[in-house]
Amino acid sequence: DQQVKQNSPSLSVQEGRISILNCDYTNSMFDYFLWYKKYPAEGPTFLISISSIKDKNEDGRFTVFLNKSAKHLSLHIVPSQPGDSAVYFCAASAKSNFGNEKLTFGTGTRLTIIP
Amino acid sequence: DSGVTQTPKHLITATGQRVTLRCSPRSGDLSVYWYQQSLDQGLQFLIQYYNGEERAKGNILERFSAQQFPDLHSELNLSSLELGDSALYFCASSVSGALRGEQYFGPGTRLTVT
């Protein structure tokens, strides 16, 4: 059962335009969401996160939006740059007593920025 | 560079064999997580250790086991290997009480079972 879904395996965007990556989840216990970026031959790198008490979090060119009622989040990158070409993973976690919860990842979206 | 190291980078072995993957977390991080990424799949959580003790278990096969040592490095042992175990294995670490869910990943070990 895929609890975190990224339905677009790939996305191509012109340099300078907005990239929008989408993610859906099914587990209503998830209350913390993250986006990771992965270049070939490297491990995923944390990009941005959002708690379920918020509906938006912004960090420079990156903004994550959370729609709890739709169980949907999206990552906006604007303006898109060639260095943004990578695989983007959405991840979610549910609160536990321990504080460091396991992350449930989506299957990733390969973003290609066209110069 | 995340500060998390994994060895070896690549491993090629035959079915039925046993291998050990090693991970050194970032300095000061007490939690270590292991993930498996098969072809075209997302990262699947395997197991978490915190300060030497098993903390959470995911979809880890009985043929797989892990441990975290007093110096906080961790090893993932994979035995009776099958072709389907071929994958990228990532280790991640985090500090207890750090930003929730933010984990720092190593570069991964690519395991090929032939």
Side-chain angles (χ1 to χ4, degrees):
Chain A
D1 177 28
Q2 192 71 24
Q3 296 185 58
V4 178
K5 300 178 185 179
Q6 293 177 258
N7 292 319
S8 298
S10 63
L11 176 68
S12 294
V13 175
Q14 289 282 343
E15 182 180 358
R17 305 294 291 269
I18 183 170
S19 295
I20 300 176
L21 295 96
N22 294 304
C23 177
D24 297 294
Y25 63 96
T26 57
N27 188 341
S28 57
M29 298 301 292
F30 288 146
D31 65 345
Y32 194 73
F33 305 89
L34 309 91
W35 285 93
Y36 280 81
K37 175 179 178 179
K38 185 181 180 304
Y39 292 119
E42 295 183 11
T45 303
F46 170 75
L47 197 55
I48 192 169
S49 64
I50 188 167
S51 166
S52 61
I53 63 173
K54 295 185 175 182
D55 54 20
K56 177 182 173 181
N57 189 25
E58 194 171 349
D59 184 1
R61 296 186 299 113
F62 302 92
T63 303
V64 56
F65 294 92
L66 176 62
N67 182 334
K68 290 184 289 294
S69 59
K71 293 191 176 67
H72 176 84
L73 65 156
S74 61
L75 174 68
H76 292 210
I77 306 173
V78 57
S80 299
Q81 299 175 353
D84 296 330
S85 295
V87 177
Y88 289 78
F89 290 98
C90 170
S93 72
K95 195 171 183 179
S96 76
N97 294 329
F98 303 117
N100 291 308
E101 302 83 7
K102 71 181 183 80
L103 295 177
T104 301
F105 281 84
T107 52
T109 296
R110 182 178 301 278
L111 175 65
T112 302
I113 305 302
I114 305 166
Chain B
D1 184 358
S2 67
V4 179
T5 60
Q6 289 187 248
T7 56
K9 286 188 177 179
H10 302 278
L11 199 48
I12 301 174
T13 189
T15 55
Q17 296 297 306
R18 173 190 168 94
V19 296
T20 297
L21 312 184
R22 183 188 168 104
C23 168
S24 292
R26 292 189 321 158
S27 177
D29 285 0
L30 299 179
S31 273
V32 169
Y33 308 77
W34 286 97
Y35 293 87
Q36 178 192 57
Q37 185 184 20
S38 301
L39 190 64
D40 294 332
Q41 297 289 315
L43 286 81
Q44 300 291 321
F45 170 73
L46 295 178
I47 197 163
Q48 177 201 358
Y49 278 82
Y50 173 75
N51 203 20
E53 294 189 1
E54 183 183 303
R55 176 61 60 88
K57 241 179 181 177
N59 302 321
I60 188 166
L61 300 172
E62 286 191 10
R63 300 184 286 109
F64 296 0
S65 65
Q67 53 184 330
Q68 186 179 28
F69 295 86
D71 67 353
L72 300 178
H73 91 271
S74 178
E75 292 181 356
L76 179 67
N77 301 297
L78 315 176
S79 61
S80 303
L81 284 168
E82 301 175 359
L83 295 178
D85 297 327
S86 295
L88 265 171
Y89 291 84
F90 288 103
C91 166
S93 72
S94 69
V95 176
S96 173
L99 287 174
R100 243 189 80 202
E102 183 174 345
Q103 298 172 13
Y104 297 86
F105 283 78
T109 293
R110 181 174 293 281
L111 173 66
T112 302
V113 182
T114 61

